[in-house]
Amino acid sequence: MKPEIFTIRPTTGADWRAIRDLRIEMIRDTPTAYAESLQDALGHDQTEWVMRGERGTSEHGIALAALTEGERWVGTMGAFVPNPEAGPLLVGVYVAPEYRGRQAGLTDSLLSRIEDWARTEGPQLTLHVHEDNTRARKYYERQGFKLTGQTVAYNLDPTKNELEMVKQL
């Protein structure tokens, strides 16, 4: 079996349908990984999805899509700068189950592109990961992210927390 070749590129407003479909797939796959419920995502109109696509080329923000040779969207990752003091924040991380793992290399490729962008915005990259998402937390730790000890209440269930992790760039 030949290795899969991926294209990783910034999203655009014209990608809105694929962005919508992938977001719904993401939430169905790991409902606690995102700050949005499936019901909320299904309720967004085209204008919202176009705006999300435009994040790929926004000032102080980036949104990437990973596509197979057959143009299937199999991953995404984004980051933005909520304020200059905080620096870049990693958000919206997803890789389709069949493309996960070290051998596939897709998550590493997406993160590498995000880190390259983040270096232009600040000296560190921050993220928040749901306390129950052990798989993601372990991945981030392998990539050099460290828990800061800070938590944020998870907006869809305030009895749960998101753990803050930071990587020095």
Side-chain angles (χ1 to χ4, degrees):
M1 183 167 123
K2 73 177 183 128
E4 187 86 42
I5 297 180
F6 303 100
T7 299
I8 297 175
R9 64 167 177 80
T11 62
T12 69
D15 295 323
W16 73 269
R17 284 181 187 87
I19 290 166
R20 177 195 61 206
D21 294 348
L22 190 63
R23 183 67 174 189
I24 290 166
E25 177 182 328
M26 294 163 63
I27 294 169
R28 284 184 171 141
D29 178 75
T30 315
T32 60
Y34 309 101
E36 176 176 48
S37 71
L38 180 59
Q39 182 179 355
D40 288 343
L42 290 169
H44 294 314
D45 64 11
Q46 179 179 341
T47 302
E48 172 68 17
W49 296 113
V50 168
M51 183 273 303
R52 290 182 184 205
E54 291 170 349
R55 291 176 180 164
T57 56
S58 66
E59 185 176 7
H60 305 295
I62 188 169
L64 299 174
L67 292 76
T68 66
E69 287 180 299
E71 298 291 307
R72 177 175 170 227
W73 284 48
V74 295
T76 186
M77 211 175 270
F80 71 101
V81 179
N83 64 64
E85 296 78 37
L89 179 68
L90 180 67
V91 295
V93 175
Y94 177 73
V95 172
E98 63 271 30
Y99 295 94
R100 292 178 187 155
R102 294 178 199 177
Q103 292 178 336
L106 180 56
T107 311
D108 291 348
S109 294
L110 283 163
L111 184 58
S112 176
R113 292 275 300 267
I114 293 290
E115 288 176 351
D116 288 346
W117 169 86
R119 283 184 190 91
T120 70
E121 299 287 338
Q124 68 183 27
L125 181 59
T126 303
L127 63 86
H128 297 114
V129 61
H130 193 281
E131 64 187 349
D132 295 336
N133 195 342
T134 304
R135 177 181 42 111
R137 191 175 74 246
K138 288 183 184 227
Y139 170 77
Y140 294 130
E141 287 171 345
R142 284 194 307 273
Q143 298 306 312
F145 285 86
K146 308 262 187 252
L147 289 166
T148 66
Q150 300 293 315
T151 61
V152 178
Y154 177 56
N155 71 311
L156 298 181
D157 179 358
T159 67
K160 295 289 188 170
N161 288 311
E162 292 186 304
L163 310 175
E164 183 179 81
M165 300 182 82
V166 172
K167 180 177 182 177
Q168 298 304 313
L169 301 170

